[in-house]
Amino acid sequence: MAVMKFGGTSVGTAGAMQQAISLVAREAGKGAPLVVLSACSGITNKLVQIADAAGRSDLEEAMRLAGEVRRFHLNLIDELIKSDELKKELADSVEQFSARLEMLVKGVDIVGELTERSRDMFCSFGELFSTTVFAAAMKDQGLNAEWVDVRKVMITDDNFGFARPLNDLCEANVSLMIAPLLEKGTTVITQGYIGSTKDGRTTTLGRGGSDFSAALLGSWLNDNAIQIWTDVDGVMTCDPRLVPEARSIRVMTFSEAAELAYLGAKVLHPDTIAPAVQKNIPVYVLNSWHPDAKGTLITNDPERLSGKSYDGLVKSIAVKKGQCIINMRSNRMFGRHGFMNELFGAFARFGVSVEMISTSEVSVSLTVDEKSFSEELIQHLNSFGEVDIEHNVATVSVVGDNLRLSRGVAGRIFNALKDVNLRMISQGASEINVGFVVQESEVVTAVRNLHREFFSGPEDAGIFETPAGTP
């Protein structure tokens, strides 16, 4: 059995949803899959806007946006469902969800306060809408499918906005509510991103929550594969908006995928990968519009990695824009223990995450997200020594197997960057990451030169693929 997770763009229109249904039907021929859906593209953002409008007592705006969400899903039903009887039944379900959404808007407006608990409730409607329509459309086409409310299964703590599942309880629920349906050949349609506390209050799992849900459910079912269906051909060698010649990566390790996600690449969030790593379940990142493309396999299986992963192989280039460098110089650092502990304690106090760091005997340079930068933080840092700031920079990271232990790779990296002004250099502690900082205006030059250096040789055949649909 497999878990199939479809992102928002893969169910964002009637055509996209129909394409996803055909993929589910194809998989069902091998064994009933568990299907995990995100909200239709753009709907979660709209629900957040509704929540914010309700929170500031802009009732008119909140109700207008709620009406847009309602009409979107009713139009989806009109395009997708052929049976008049089922169409009416499904429209009634959408109206019921919409009525509850509007009731929530009015409740928040009356109270005059938007809590994290209320925000989670707002956000949950996206997945409830999309899965209800999807399951009905499958039945309309004569496919054996059943809708399951994941909130009965995914029991979490009450950390609203970033809830964590109670694993033992969830695994027992999966065995009781989902596994029997799959075993008798029924495809199960459920939601990603949401869950509920033991007393039934709706929660959300935070960024990457739908992928995380899919990986968790796959690990609890001990499935043989987790499929993440998106609108791209797997994980790419770099952002194709920066380098049109970017290629998809056939196979990579869990560590490489996690490192790329931390470093800013648009791949699976590290939390998503963790449950699959624990059970060593392969994760496939696939293109719903080009289902026969190979996509990317993420695994630690030596046999699957054979010939496609070896020391010194650069797999991808990640970019994180919107950074700033904080440079500090202080004679207090020289030969004194505890200085770095005090320094990072200051960042922790202000809730600022450090992205990249480079040090010497009397200086330290580090990068933080530009949005987290504040004058209060800088004033506090001035107590440690001389501080200056460089704005409008980006981190560029080269990721691959054991780069630190591979001869010649560093030379190739810096030779490719000979025309770029490097503001900072940092060797990742993980052995698979070499990073540096450049001005944002030089990102395109840096990435294109690196891509030309590492991804233009014939020896890459079988490791990287030209994306499907590329002329």
Side-chain angles (χ1 to χ4, degrees), residues 113-157:
E113 180 184 9
L114 177 65
T115 64
E116 285 301 313
R117 176 181 170 183
S118 297
R119 187 183 291 277
D120 276 3
M121 190 66 216
F122 275 109
C123 291
S124 70
F125 282 98
E127 276 74 8
L128 295 173
F129 276 124
S130 65
T131 53
T132 299
V133 175
F134 192 96
M138 285 196 67
K139 290 179 181 177
D140 188 44
Q141 296 175 34
L143 299 169
N144 183 13
E146 185 163 331
W147 183 89
V148 170
D149 188 340
V150 81
R151 293 173 297 180
K152 306 291 186 184
V153 177
M154 188 72 70
I155 308 303
T156 73
D157 59 25

Side-chain angles (χ1 to χ4, degrees), residues 40-85:
C40 298
S41 55
I43 294 299
T44 298
N45 287 341
K46 192 158 288 189
L47 290 166
V48 170
Q49 293 171 3
I50 293 169
D52 290 340
R56 64 175 182 268
S57 294
D58 189 347
L59 184 60
E60 183 179 348
E61 175 68 2
M63 296 298 278
R64 182 187 69 79
L65 291 169
E68 290 182 4
V69 170
R70 171 181 167 274
R71 286 191 296 275
F72 173 88
H73 291 94
L74 289 175
N75 289 338
L76 197 59
I77 292 167
D78 279 339
E79 291 185 59
L80 205 56
I81 306 297
K82 294 182 174 62
S83 164
D84 290 337
E85 183 179 347

Side-chain angles (χ1 to χ4, degrees), residues 233 236 244-249 293-294 464-471:
D233 279 5
M236 306 294 286
E245 300 81 25
R247 290 185 276 172
S248 61
I249 304 167
K294 295 182 176 67
F464 306 103
E465 293 279 335
T466 300
T470 301

Side-chain angles (χ1 to χ4, degrees), residues 242-261:
L242 298 176
V243 181
E245 300 81 25
R247 290 185 276 172
S248 61
I249 304 167
R250 287 282 309 280
V251 181
M252 65 194 313
T253 65
F254 285 118
S255 296
E256 289 170 329
E259 196 84 1
L260 283 170

Side-chain angles (χ1 to χ4, degrees), residues 61 89 99 144 260 281 374 377 389 408:
E61 175 68 2
E89 179 184 327
N144 183 13
L260 283 170
I281 300 171
S374 70
L377 170 63
I389 313 296

